[in-house]
Amino acid sequence: MRPIGLLLFIALLLAPVSHASGSDNKPPLDPVALSALVAKANVASPRDQCFLYAELVHQMTLVAGKQLSEGQDPSATLRAVSEYTQKIHLGEAKDNKRLKNAQILMEHTAFRLNEFLHSAGLDDRPILESTLKNLNQVQNELMMQVFRH
């Protein structure tokens, strides 16, 4: 393989990772934007719902992380994360690109939640562990669905 081809190949492999990790550097959406995302996900076509719920789970995980860092109780936010994670199961996503993007986003979200778990106090750990378990399960299911398409 020529050096230019090898560089292009490596760039293509790293592109989804850099895009998804770049979304981690942004602050979480404000409550109005989160509400708009919830409304959009609830009425979206099944093709788009999977990705929109993954985006919502990601954003709400960032909110929970912010709450943890500020010493607030993230329990209600993490319960919402679990609720929206379960709605990803219901999606009948047929669009392989959106499905792959949702899988990558869920992978990064699970990674972030795992980081929060390691820095959380003992009181917050049970709900973080439960939420992380749900996220990992859905992320694995999304990965299997991507491979099937």
Side-chain angles (χ1 to χ4, degrees):
M1 186 177 273
R2 287 187 234 154
I4 293 175
L6 179 62
L7 288 175
L8 182 61
F9 178 71
I10 291 170
L12 289 174
L13 284 177
L14 296 178
V17 174
S18 64
H19 168 73
S21 65
S23 65
D24 286 347
N25 297 329
K26 292 186 229 170
L29 295 176
D30 62 76
V32 173
L34 273 175
S35 295
L37 185 56
V38 169
K40 185 176 180 180
N42 286 336
V43 298
S45 69
R47 177 181 159 216
D48 295 327
Q49 264 185 338
C50 179
F51 178 77
L52 290 172
Y53 280 127
E55 179 65 29
L56 185 58
V57 166
H58 177 73
Q59 288 295 325
M60 295 197 77
T61 299
L62 294 178
V63 169
K66 183 178 178 192
Q67 290 170 334
L68 277 169
S69 69
E70 294 174 352
Q72 299 174 7
D73 181 14
S75 298
T77 304
L78 291 170
R79 279 192 288 279
V81 167
S82 290
E83 176 186 325
Y84 291 119
T85 299
Q86 294 306 314
K87 289 189 176 198
I88 292 171
H89 287 288
L90 305 176
E92 298 176 17
K94 304 280 188 222
D95 184 347
N96 198 36
K97 182 179 179 186
R98 297 284 275 182
L99 193 60
K100 179 65 178 166
N101 288 342
Q103 184 270 323
I104 291 170
L105 191 54
M106 290 297 290
E107 182 179 341
H108 282 76
T109 303
F111 180 80
R112 293 285 294 195
L113 197 58
N114 193 36
E115 287 178 337
F116 300 152
L117 176 65
H118 292 313
S119 63
L122 291 175
D123 293 342
D124 296 320
R125 286 181 185 250
I127 191 147
L128 281 164
E129 289 170 344
S130 172
T131 305
L132 183 59
K133 181 180 175 185
N134 288 340
L135 280 173
N136 284 331
Q137 180 182 356
V138 170
Q139 192 268 329
N140 288 335
E141 289 173 10
L142 284 169
M143 190 178 341
M144 295 305 293
Q145 220 171 350
V146 167
F147 287 130
R148 277 189 228 136
H149 286 98

